[in-house]
Amino acid sequence: ARPGMNFEKTQQRLLNPNVKEALQVAADLRERIEIVHTAEYPAFLRALFPAFRELLLNRLPVSCVADSPEARFRLVLLEVLNRLPNNDVLRPYAQDLLHIATEVLGKDNEESALTCLRIVFDLHKNFRPALEGEVQVFLDLVQRIYHVLSQSVQSVFAPSYQAATAQHQQQQQGGAAAA
């Protein structure tokens, strides 16, 4: 990363309504993530963390199509957040980052959700005392996911199971009638 990177300009470019251009800015940021291991880390967070939050929670729509520009943009932002060092510089942002990761975890596609889980686990590992009040929120989310998963499995597989059962019964009845 070049010294003196203009984080405010980067923030404006990330918030660009043209998703493909903003995605490129995020990808460049991800490629130069080593800047967070320098004295510029506090300035990086001050300028860019609000943009990451705004994009992930409000501006960028969730997309179930993993290779859509919006989904790729969301994933790149999450990958940047996942690579942030969990140190004292991040501590003031930890609760907010946990909220972002938990919100996205409950809505996004599988790849983004896995990145969010890594963020959640790293935050709890490194900032446990400060985040203990948030554990129940995460457990409630896990419970909701399992409940929805159970309903999804039933709605996806029940029709084919019912059709197969009906077909089997018809074959049984047809075989009995022929005998």
Side-chain angles (χ1 to χ4, degrees):
R2 60 191 139 88
M5 186 174 173
N6 185 335
F7 297 123
E8 287 74 23
K9 185 174 181 184
T10 303
Q11 178 194 50
Q12 291 169 358
R13 292 175 62 216
L14 278 173
L15 295 171
N16 181 342
N18 182 323
V19 172
K20 288 183 180 177
E21 288 177 21
L23 169 59
Q24 186 57 52
V25 172
D28 291 345
L29 199 55
R30 180 184 58 192
E31 295 306 312
R32 297 186 310 189
I33 194 66
E34 68 276 355
I35 192 122
V36 299
H37 297 288
T38 70
E40 293 198 54
Y41 189 27
F44 174 97
L45 287 174
R46 259 192 318 277
L48 299 179
F49 192 85
F52 297 150
R53 179 182 49 239
E54 175 64 21
L55 287 163
L56 289 167
L57 297 183
N58 300 318
R59 288 204 193 179
L60 274 177
V62 174
S63 175
C64 294
V65 181
D67 62 345
S68 72
E70 292 81 7
R72 288 199 328 269
F73 191 10
R74 292 176 70 82
L75 180 61
V76 169
L77 292 174
L78 291 168
E79 288 171 346
V80 169
L81 291 172
N82 186 47
R83 293 180 184 176
L84 297 177
N86 286 272
N87 57 24
D88 284 338
V89 176
L90 186 64
R91 187 175 303 278
Y93 300 88
Q95 191 125 17
D96 208 8
L97 180 53
L98 181 64
H99 171 73
I100 293 166
T102 305
E103 282 290 310
V104 173
L105 176 62
K107 298 176 186 167
D108 257 70
N109 64 48
E110 183 178 350
E111 194 172 4
S112 291
L114 289 173
T115 304
C116 288
L117 281 175
R118 285 193 290 275
I119 293 169
V120 168
F121 291 147
D122 284 345
L123 288 170
H124 277 290
K125 183 171 67 178
N126 292 287
F127 303 111
R128 178 163 301 152
L131 300 177
E132 281 193 358
E134 304 299 319
V135 171
Q136 192 58 51
V137 173
F138 178 71
L139 294 176
D140 291 346
L141 172 67
V142 171
Q143 187 176 16
R144 195 172 74 237
I145 289 170
Y146 274 108
H147 181 72
V148 170
L149 179 65
S150 167
Q151 291 174 336
S152 297
V153 167
Q154 288 177 359
S155 68
V156 168
F157 292 108
S160 59
Y161 174 76
Q162 290 168 347
T165 303
Q167 183 180 9
H168 179 72
Q169 288 174 344
Q170 285 178 337
Q171 289 172 344
Q172 292 296 321
Q173 291 171 349

